[in-house]
Amino acid sequence: MAVTGRTVALVALGIVVVGLSPDPGLAFVLVNLLILLLVAVDLGLAARVRLCAFSRSGPTSARLGQPVTLTLTVANGGRRTLRARVRDSWVPSAGAQPRVHTVTVPAGERRFLETTLRPTRRGDREPVRITVRSLGPMGLAGRQGRHHAPWRLRVLPPFLSRRHLPAALARLREVEGEVALRGGGAGSEFDSLREYVVGDDVRTIDWRATARHHGSVVVRTYRPERDRRVICVLDSGRTSAGRVGDVPRLDHAMDAALLLTAVALRAGDRVGLTAYDSTARLTVAHARDQGLLARMSEAMATLEPALVEADHEVMATTVLRAASRRALVVIFTDLVPAVIEESLLPALPTLISRHTVLVAALRDPRLDELAAGHGDVTQVYAAAAAEQALLRRRELTAVLRQRGVEVVDVAPAQYATAVTDTYLTLKAHGRL
């Protein structure tokens, strides 16, 4: 049973009546009996909570930062009108609003309540419980109970770099045009035949086709090779938990991987996904259908950094097992000695011998800001430490490039586009 503020107000009024009565003892008894009678009648007329039924409907997935509206259906299976306050409880990171609904459901009918979720984290979000307080017609007291209507909302990575997709696709068209003008060569394949125009490379003339087309010269046109392999490898170890701009490094890497995947699919290549820390965490098989982007987002949604050192030998073994043909392996990790020197460098030879490797590192813009500080003593020491960190990153970049590895080391604002531009450059030169 639950009482409301109206009951408290009624008790306060009774106290006033008792205080003003010439016979306080008798007034006290009568007032209490009246209040108890009213509460008992109101409670008896309240609809039974256990006869209510709840169900949900709405989206089962959404991008982080995107509001989602779910519908909670309240069905009254009793013979009395349900006058209720319904608290639909979710975990705090779901950002559910409003928290409490007021609803009236006549006997045998249904009503629909809308809850808007604004998730603040990736992953699966589920409701905790539904608490129902069914009040009587006077609103003095009611019955209270709990129900559960299961639902799961999968919060996907936000894919903020999608705004760069038009520019990246324009760059892809430029690459295809350059290959067409350059003609056949490494990284290109035959596309079609057309008539010769002034300016065409004479080496692209197809003499056999020209002989069949009397009076016209025919040239071959080319396009970048398709059906290449791209593997996005996410380091979900200890360093991926660090935040850059209040966003975990792992989330920045996911965003860059999604943009790269969207462009590679449009270019006709196959893309796969692997995540690892001390073990392989997830794998999405190579594909080039349009549903791949959604599958990758689903797989990434529940991936969280693990506070362990990443095992790059495990990563190399997983990649070699998944890719029998030559591929571009994009490793999203950090340029720190603990990662590069102690773990990645020993695992590189087996990868480089069979694949093109790109290390995509995210540089904290705070390092550049601190390195530029020359004010008081504290700023000078901070600048020296930042400059030393930047120098170490440049040294590690040089070591990787000496081993034949492509390296991207940029701030978050350029991260996704820099990775995609490097992919397009490699594709244009036939190095995938």
Side-chain angles (χ1 to χ4, degrees):
M1 186 188 80
V3 296
T4 67
R6 291 187 182 184
T7 303
V8 176
L10 193 60
V11 170
L13 180 61
I15 293 173
V16 174
V17 171
V18 170
L20 298 176
S21 173
D23 189 351
L26 179 60
F28 178 78
V29 173
L30 293 177
V31 167
N32 281 332
L33 288 175
L34 179 60
I35 293 174
L36 289 175
L37 177 62
L38 292 174
V39 168
V41 171
D42 207 34
L43 182 63
L45 294 176
R48 294 184 178 182
V49 174
R50 64 182 180 85
L51 296 179
C52 299
F54 294 83
S55 61
R56 298 184 191 272
S57 60
T60 56
S61 64
R63 295 283 180 189
L64 180 64
Q66 171 187 347
V68 178
T69 300
L70 300 180
T71 301
L72 179 66
T73 302
V74 185
N76 183 6
R79 292 181 295 178
R80 297 173 182 152
T81 298
L82 175 68
R83 304 170 184 85
R85 289 172 60 83
V86 179
R87 183 181 182 88
D88 190 8
S89 301
W90 289 71
V91 293
S93 60
Q97 291 292 337
R99 296 183 178 181
V100 179
H101 302 269
T102 301
V103 63
T104 300
V105 187
E109 295 188 12
R110 297 182 300 171
R111 292 293 183 269
F112 303 96
L113 308 176
E114 289 189 347
T115 299
T116 300
L117 306 183
R118 290 179 173 83
T120 57
R121 292 180 57 189
R122 288 182 295 102
D124 292 338
R125 297 293 171 263
E126 298 181 358
V128 179
R129 69 177 69 87
I130 300 171
T131 305
V132 183
R133 180 174 292 181
S134 173
L135 302 176
M138 292 180 285
L140 297 175
R143 310 169 189 268
Q144 185 164 305
R146 293 178 178 178
H147 283 265
H148 186 63
W151 195 258
R152 188 188 72 177
L153 177 71
R154 176 152 291 186
V155 184
L156 309 176
F159 195 10
L160 299 176
S161 61
R162 180 167 24 202
R163 65 182 183 274
H164 300 301
L165 188 56
L169 294 179
R171 169 78 172 116
L172 173 62
R173 289 190 290 271
E174 290 178 8
V175 168
E176 292 175 339
E178 289 172 3
V179 172
L181 290 173
R182 186 175 66 236
S188 63
E189 60 184 18
F190 173 75
D191 185 24
S192 62
L193 295 172
R194 63 170 174 80
E195 288 190 7
Y196 174 87
V197 296
V198 177
D200 283 339
D201 191 334
V202 295
R203 292 174 297 180
T204 63
I205 296 175
D206 190 317
W207 296 109
R208 291 185 180 180
T210 298
R212 292 194 299 269
H213 291 74
H214 301 289
S216 61
V217 178
V218 178
V219 296
R220 300 187 189 94
T221 61
Y222 297 86
R223 66 181 181 186
E225 285 185 339
R226 292 174 176 262
D227 203 27
R228 302 294 92 188
R229 301 293 193 272
V230 179
I231 307 176
C232 297
V233 183
L234 300 177
D235 178 354
S236 60
R238 175 181 58 82
T239 58
S240 68
R243 290 179 172 267
V244 179
D246 202 33
V247 177
R249 290 180 178 273
L250 181 59
D251 287 49
H252 284 293
M254 290 178 180
D255 193 54
L258 289 173
L259 180 63
L260 173 61
T261 300
V263 175
L265 290 176
R266 192 67 63 91
D269 292 332
R270 294 179 178 270
V271 185
L273 173 68
T274 295
Y276 70 101
D277 40 65
S278 58
T279 61
R281 295 282 298 278
L282 66 87
T283 299
V284 177
H286 285 87
R288 61 177 180 183
D289 59 279
Q290 292 305 312
L292 175 64
L293 205 61
R295 294 198 300 274
M296 287 180 62
S297 295
E298 285 273 345
M300 291 175 178
T302 56
L303 182 65
E304 296 292 343
L307 300 182
V308 296
E309 296 295 339
D311 189 336
H312 289 84
E313 291 288 351
V314 169
M315 177 272 294
T317 302
T318 304
V319 169
L320 292 173
R321 187 184 300 119
S324 57
R325 293 175 55 182
R326 186 169 185 82
L328 171 64
V329 180
V330 185
I331 305 173
F332 295 91
T333 187
D334 195 14
L335 280 176
V336 293
V339 173
I340 304 300
E341 294 180 339
E342 300 175 15
S343 185
L344 181 58
L345 287 180
L348 278 179
T350 54
L351 279 179
I352 296 173
S353 63
R354 294 176 54 180
H355 303 293
T356 301
V357 179
L358 166 62
V359 171
L362 183 69
R363 187 173 72 244
D364 192 338
R366 283 279 295 160
L367 289 176
D368 296 299
E369 295 174 7
L370 291 174
H374 299 290
D376 56 23
V377 175
T378 303
Q379 290 180 337
V380 171
Y381 276 111
E387 189 59 48
Q388 185 177 17
L390 291 172
L391 177 61
R392 196 72 184 100
R393 295 179 76 89
R394 289 192 290 267
E395 291 174 348
L396 292 173
T397 298
V399 169
L400 289 171
R401 286 175 175 162
Q402 288 173 359
R403 304 286 184 94
V405 177
E406 296 292 328
V407 180
V408 169
D409 183 24
V410 294
Q414 298 85 35
Y415 190 47
T417 54
V419 172
T420 302
D421 285 345
T422 304
Y423 154 76
L424 292 173
T425 300
L426 293 172
K427 186 175 183 66
H429 291 86
R431 294 182 55 194
L432 298 188

